Amino acid sequence: MMTDAALLAEQTSEDSQTGAHPVYGQAPRSVEFSKLRKRLIRNAREAIEKFAMVRPGEKWLVALSGGKDSYGMLALLLDLKWRGLLPVELLACNLDQGQPNFPKHILPDYLAGLGIAHRIEYQDTYSIVTDKLPAGATYCSLCSRLRRGNLYRIAREEGCSALVLGHHRDDSLETFFMNLFHGGKLAAMPPRLLNDEGDIEVLRPLIYCAEEDLQRFSDSMAFPIIPCDLCGSQDGLERNAMKAMLADIEKRMPGRKDVMIRALGNINPSHMLDTRLFDFAGLLDKRATA
């Protein structure tokens, strides 16, 4: 097993040989951070390779909200690209949705300062959401649909084949249990899907990454976080209840989240109840011919 000192030396050697993207210019030089960075890179590479996300030479629109997850995703993708492991062009994109007191300068200053290709788009979806929904309502669904529609449009305008989102392991698990408890179906956030129009893929390369790791990564990298004042201030959201439930399960039985995310890719249709996935009616015919 590699010692902490050897791990840090290996990471330092890698960076000295290949350099490092400027986004890592102020990153800590510690064993703990090196382990964290390697784990996140490993998780992202596994998802990218397992779900065949890359077609060399294409262009990805990387959605950047200003939160820890999208910042972390951008840094990890830039790391992979810098090392020659991600042969696609990256364009970071922030959609300014017109929220009051939104600090418009933070993201363009941050991206320009690091030489990261980007596009900042202004669309006042905030007024649409607050106009159509009563005070105290859950804004997330409508806000998300409006944001996604604009990002698809921007992707087309920029010649991007994919929209890349920062949803992680915990997001997917929370969605699974929301669908289980409230929607009466088994469905989570897929790592890769095609939009309804059939021209833009949605990719989630962080699908195996733990939210806790991304939070620690963000704290260590000192990203200039921009809070969401629209939905972040609302209480009683179903997702928050799922998050609390999963946190309690993880506390009682450490490692369960990793087991659950792997279970979503290890489905046995004959042991479920969906006749669309397994021919239960044909079992008698199979027995007769056995």
Side-chain angles (χ1 to χ4, degrees):
M1 181 179 293
M2 186 174 291
T3 65
D4 287 352
L7 179 66
L8 183 57
E10 180 188 64
Q11 183 66 65
T12 302
S13 175
E14 287 179 6
D15 285 348
S16 65
Q17 291 172 14
T18 65
H21 190 278
V23 74
Y24 288 94
Q26 302 301 317
R29 288 290 179 179
S30 67
V31 171
E32 183 179 8
F33 181 77
S34 182
K35 287 181 177 179
L36 176 62
R37 178 180 170 186
K38 280 182 171 290
R39 182 164 61 249
L40 287 170
I41 284 290
R42 182 174 64 249
N43 291 154
R45 285 190 69 186
E46 180 183 359
I48 289 170
E49 293 172 4
K50 182 174 183 177
F51 300 108
M53 295 183 184
V54 173
R55 287 189 293 271
E58 292 194 343
K59 186 177 181 181
W60 288 1
L61 189 73
V62 182
L64 189 64
S65 67
K68 70 179 191 311
D69 304 328
S70 60
Y71 271 125
M73 174 179 66
L74 178 62
L76 295 170
L77 294 178
L78 289 170
D79 198 344
L80 288 170
K81 183 172 175 60
W82 189 269
R83 296 170 184 275
L85 299 173
L86 187 65
V88 299
E89 182 180 351
L90 301 176
L91 177 66
C93 178
N94 173 253
L95 181 65
D96 179 349
Q97 297 180 260
Q99 294 171 227
N101 304 315
F102 182 80
K104 298 178 181 295
H105 66 286
I106 289 181
L107 281 168
D109 287 354
Y110 175 78
L111 296 168
L114 294 171
I116 299 172
H118 64 279
R119 172 171 170 175
I120 307 296
E121 178 84 3
Y122 177 80
Q123 291 290 331
D124 186 7
T125 63
Y126 175 86
S127 295
I128 298 174
V129 171
T130 54
D131 179 64
K132 290 187 175 296
L133 296 177
T138 299
Y139 296 147
C140 297
S141 180
L142 178 56
C143 180
S144 176
R145 289 199 302 273
L146 293 171
R147 181 172 62 251
R148 187 72 61 87
N150 277 289
L151 289 172
Y152 284 151
R153 171 183 57 79
I154 295 167
R156 295 184 186 102
E157 292 173 357
E158 295 290 346
C160 297
S161 60
L163 170 62
V164 192
L165 303 177
H167 296 129
H168 45 68
R169 177 199 69 181
D170 298 60
D171 288 324
S172 189
L173 291 176
E174 290 159 18
T175 298
F176 174 81
F177 282 104
M178 286 170 66
N179 282 319
L180 176 65
F181 293 158
H182 302 287
K185 62 181 178 181
L186 299 182
M189 285 181 172
R192 180 181 177 187
L193 62 85
L194 193 63
N195 69 340
D196 292 339
E197 292 77 12
D199 63 335
I200 303 291
E201 283 192 87
V202 175
L203 305 177
R204 295 185 173 99
L206 303 187
I207 204 70
Y208 289 136
C209 295
E211 182 174 19
E212 180 181 359
D213 282 348
L214 289 166
Q215 182 65 67
R216 291 171 54 216
F217 186 68
S218 175
D219 293 342
S220 297
M221 293 285 286
F223 294 131
I225 301 298
I226 302 173
C228 177
D229 294 328
L230 181 61
C231 60
S233 61
Q234 291 179 281
D235 296 325
L237 300 179
E238 291 175 356
R239 185 170 294 276
N240 287 345
M242 299 301 103
K243 185 183 293 291
M245 182 194 72
L246 286 165
D248 182 63
I249 291 173
E250 186 72 13
K251 181 179 179 180
R252 294 169 183 270
M253 297 177 287
R256 292 314 96 185
K257 287 183 180 180
D258 279 337
V259 172
M260 285 188 277
I261 199 68
R262 299 296 172 180
L264 293 182
N266 187 25
I267 298 168
N268 189 340
S270 68
H271 286 57
M272 303 299 284
L273 311 180
D274 194 335
T275 57
R276 297 167 300 179
L277 299 180
F278 186 79
D279 183 16
F280 292 96
L283 282 176
L284 187 59
D285 295 334
K286 291 180 181 178
R287 188 180 66 183
T289 57

